[in-house]
Amino acid sequence: MKLRTALGAAIGTVGVATGINRLLSREAGELEAPFPGVSGTYHWRGFEVAYTEAGDPDDPDLLAVHGVSAASSSREFVDVIEALSKDYHVVAPDLPGFGRSDRPPLLYSGSLYETFLGDVIDDLVDEPTVVASSLSGAYAAAGANDTAVESLVLISPTDETMGDGRRPLVRALLRSPVVGTGLFNLLASKPSLRHFHDDHGYADMANLTDETLAYEWRSAHQPGSRYAPASFLGGYLDPDEELGEHLASLDVPITLVWGRDTDTTPVEAGRELADRADARLVVFEDAKLLPHVEHPEKFVDVVTGDFDA
């Protein structure tokens, strides 16, 4: 009798969790374009990768690559796209597993994203300025070693996710059908997203708009949204080689942009990278992990060369 009761309770719990998961997915709806522009699809190794273009196609190309988190997408650049598109033809993809791109249940890896960005640079743009954020900065540096780029502007780049190796149990748990989806829904709830930004993303939380938070929540509740973040949280998205080695081997202008108050990748790490790669380091005051979001006008000036540090 006790066993029957326990089984009934377990089945009931799974049923409730399944219902909640479905309800949240319906509430999120289909994700719209991250900012005004021309939407396109890049067919890459079985993925349908969404990207958005802005600006005159005859202008120099700029590839904007968002960072990696539970709710990442190319909307990260929404506050700088309009200004950048006055000087550049901007192409901003949603990485495979994020945003409006396909999110199949693959075992995502750092090498997948390094290869992806190398192919994007070859196929979608022509010797671009590459702007890339956090972990994607390492992928962009790796891709740039095998392709032609004009310059790199990397925002708090890093080659480590969690810093303590791989955690296969974490990845497996988050990938599990019902429990994993339920856990991910908690991680990607609006309170959790706001807490992450308060801790690491923003020096001034007034810079986090309701529109941005709502888009992140909806992005994190698309079908298959937990698979790539599961690899991220499991430590499987670290690049194959050290970021400093890639940067030191490049013979192109490199600018590193850091928020003074960043704690996940502190500014001291930026100084070490800049020294090793003979790169320019620009530090924004009153900013954490997202200096381009907190100070969009200054960031645009850095990219266009109009910023005097």
Side-chain angles (χ1 to χ4, degrees), residues 69-153:
S69 70
S72 294
S73 76
S74 57
R75 197 183 186 280
E76 177 180 330
F77 296 102
V78 66
D79 293 323
V80 298
I81 288 294
E82 182 178 359
L84 288 174
S85 65
K86 294 177 182 178
D87 296 291
Y88 295 96
H89 170 232
V90 180
V91 177
D94 286 328
L95 293 174
F98 295 95
R100 296 184 300 147
S101 293
D102 282 351
R103 307 184 188 209
L106 300 180
L107 297 175
Y108 292 82
S109 67
S111 60
L112 180 145
Y113 291 113
E114 291 177 357
T115 303
F116 169 74
L117 284 184
D119 289 346
V120 164
I121 293 170
D122 276 339
D123 297 340
L124 288 187
V125 288
D126 181 24
E127 295 191 22
T129 292
V130 179
V131 175
S133 178
S134 63
L135 194 59
S136 293
Y139 304 147
N145 268 275
D146 299 319
T147 56
V149 303
E150 179 66 25
S151 62
L152 292 177
V153 180

Side-chain angles (χ1 to χ4, degrees), residues 9-290:
I11 293 171
T13 300
V14 169
V16 170
T18 301
I20 291 173
N21 294 341
R22 289 175 178 170
L23 179 63
L24 290 174
S25 182
R26 285 200 301 269
E27 185 180 345
E30 185 175 350
L31 206 58
E32 71 273 14
F35 47 80
V38 178
S39 293
T41 301
Y42 175 47
H43 305 283
W44 183 77
R45 304 194 179 194
F47 285 91
E48 299 289 301
V49 175
Y51 66 89
T52 308
E53 297 179 73
D56 188 338
D58 291 330
D59 284 339
D61 284 338
L62 184 148
L63 179 67
V65 188
H66 65 80
V68 174
S69 70
S72 294
S73 76
S74 57
R75 197 183 186 280
E76 177 180 330
F77 296 102
V78 66
D79 293 323
V80 298
I81 288 294
E82 182 178 359
L84 288 174
S85 65
K86 294 177 182 178
D87 296 291
Y88 295 96
H89 170 232
V90 180
V91 177
D94 286 328
L95 293 174
F98 295 95
R100 296 184 300 147
S101 293
D102 282 351
R103 307 184 188 209
L106 300 180
L107 297 175
Y108 292 82
S109 67
S111 60
L112 180 145
Y113 291 113
E114 291 177 357
T115 303
F116 169 74
L117 284 184
D119 289 346
V120 164
I121 293 170
D122 276 339
D123 297 340
L124 288 187
V125 288
D126 181 24
E127 295 191 22
T129 292
V130 179
V131 175
S133 178
S134 63
L135 194 59
S136 293
Y139 304 147
N145 268 275
D146 299 319
T147 56
V149 303
E150 179 66 25
S151 62
L152 292 177
V153 180
L154 307 182
I155 307 161
S156 303
T158 183
D159 55 12
E160 288 188 354
T161 48
M162 299 297 167
D164 55 354
R166 293 180 174 178
R167 295 164 297 282
L169 290 179
V170 171
R171 183 175 70 174
L173 182 61
L174 286 170
R175 287 176 58 85
S176 61
V178 177
V179 175
T181 304
L183 287 174
F184 185 72
N185 285 338
L186 290 175
L187 288 172
S189 67
K190 286 185 179 179
S192 291
L193 294 174
R194 183 178 290 277
H195 176 74
F196 172 82
H197 284 312
D198 192 19
D199 263 8
H200 306 297
Y202 291 79
D204 182 356
M205 282 294 286
N207 292 319
L208 175 62
T209 66
D210 291 340
E211 292 79 9
T212 291
L213 188 63
Y215 193 95
E216 288 183 349
W217 183 88
R218 293 179 59 213
S219 179
H221 289 84
Q222 299 298 303
S225 58
R226 73 187 186 279
Y227 295 119
S231 287
F232 170 67
L233 293 171
Y236 286 85
L237 296 192
D238 291 2
D240 291 336
E241 296 184 29
E242 186 183 10
L243 172 60
E245 291 183 7
H246 281 308
L247 293 180
S249 65
L250 289 170
D251 188 23
V252 298
I254 300 170
T255 299
L256 307 178
V257 181
W258 238 269
R260 175 75 68 186
D261 303 320
T262 303
D263 54 4
T264 52
T265 50
V267 72
E268 288 77 14
R271 292 194 184 97
E272 292 175 4
L273 278 177
D275 290 342
R276 186 171 179 181
D278 192 24
R280 180 191 185 200
L281 174 64
V282 178
V283 179
F284 284 8
E285 303 295 335
D286 301 315
K288 287 187 177 180
L289 194 60
L290 301 168

